[in-house]
Amino acid sequence: MARSVAITGAGSGIGRATAQAFLAKGWRVALMGRRRDRLEETADGHPAACVLPCDVSDAGQLDAAFARIDAEFGRLDVLFNNAGIFTPAGLIDEIDAADFDRAVAVNLTGAFACARRAFAMMRRQAPRGGRIINNGSISAHVPRPGSVCYTATKHGLTGLTRSLALDGRAYDIACGQIDIGNARTEMVAGLGAAAVAGADGAGAEATMDLAEVARSVLHMAEMPLEANIPFMTVMATKMPYMGRG
């Protein structure tokens, strides 16, 4: 039987590229995201794609989505916790506090909620086990200026990854995190020139092809459960990550 993966934020960007890479390799793919039309564009009529419109910050919608995954696939081998948002940049005393709540609801609580449901499926299915891959960010290591909301959520996600990796051992559940820097997505383009300027203000940062991110996630997912990549960083070679700050 073909392996199964659930991907959040599958309607665009990293989620779409990753979903299409998994479909091309013969996986059954649950496409999760807020907009049905974008998910259907990702699926492109593929018979192994299951379109599941849902908001990761809505518990009822997530319950329905994971119930559908169970009904359609019978098991879940991998969850790619990919959904995330940027909120407007600014100093902590200038940003709207509601933006912090919104970032936490999607980037951190949403990832927790999906992992909770996936973990429950994986520890009870037969054969037992599975893998959870969290989409972190290089902001989980070093922040951009004015990114307190996003950076705080991604640091929190690293704690979630470490805890899941530890707690999952007894149930053959592996957990890892991929930290991505400057893939060419709509979200990165939407940040604007100021947000993606180098740390020294020297100009726009280098970016990389989305296909390299998708290939990296697929590599993590296809490892046997006796092996795990706890943390992987994939980034545009010439972005100023090492000298950011």
Side-chain angles (χ1 to χ4, degrees):
M1 181 181 294
R3 287 172 291 181
S4 60
V5 57
I7 299 174
T8 65
S12 63
I14 291 168
R16 173 173 290 182
T18 304
Q20 292 174 340
F22 275 87
L23 288 168
K25 287 297 291 287
W27 287 64
R28 296 174 296 168
V29 182
L31 306 172
M32 301 170 67
R34 289 178 295 177
R35 292 180 52 182
R36 176 180 287 277
D37 61 332
R38 300 299 297 270
L39 297 176
E40 288 176 346
E41 288 174 7
T42 299
D44 195 26
H46 200 293
C50 180
V51 173
L52 298 173
C54 65
D55 185 330
V56 297
S57 64
D58 186 305
Q61 291 182 26
L62 282 183
D63 285 340
F66 277 88
R68 176 88 181 279
I69 291 169
D70 193 21
E72 292 282 335
F73 297 161
R75 65 177 289 109
L76 181 62
D77 295 297
V78 175
L79 166 68
F80 181 34
N81 248 334
N82 168 68
I85 61 170
F86 290 127
T87 54
L91 299 178
I92 191 168
D93 60 334
E94 297 173 345
I95 61 171
D96 188 335
D99 283 336
F100 181 80
D101 293 340
R102 190 160 59 94
V104 170
V106 176
N107 298 355
L108 184 54
T109 306
F112 164 84
C114 291
R116 183 173 186 268
R117 289 161 175 80
F119 195 101
M121 287 184 66
M122 291 171 178
R123 68 185 286 205
R124 292 177 175 86
Q125 63 196 10
R128 186 178 67 180
R131 188 180 306 274
I132 296 169
I133 301 171
N134 292 325
N135 184 349
S137 168
I138 60 170
S139 291
H141 303 275
V142 289
R144 295 182 188 278
S147 66
V148 64
C149 298
Y150 185 77
T151 297
T153 64
K154 293 304 183 177
H155 275 69
L157 196 65
T158 297
L160 179 66
T161 298
R162 292 182 184 278
S163 289
L164 290 174
L166 178 61
D167 293 345
R169 288 176 182 172
Y171 306 102
D172 302 314
I173 299 170
C175 184
Q177 180 169 311
I178 183 165
D179 296 319
I180 300 163
N182 285 10
R184 285 193 289 274
T185 66
E186 296 173 8
M187 196 159 79
V188 167
L191 286 173
V196 294
D200 58 1
E205 294 179 7
T207 58
M208 65 176 173
D209 195 307
L210 270 175
E212 299 309 318
V213 178
R215 192 157 63 94
S216 299
V217 176
L218 191 60
H219 172 61
M220 294 175 75
E222 289 187 327
M223 297 189 76
L225 289 179
E226 67 179 5
N228 188 36
I229 298 174
F231 293 95
M232 175 191 286
T233 300
V234 57
M235 53 175 269
T237 303
K238 294 184 179 181
M239 69 178 297
Y241 164 63
M242 301 303 179
R244 191 192 280 185

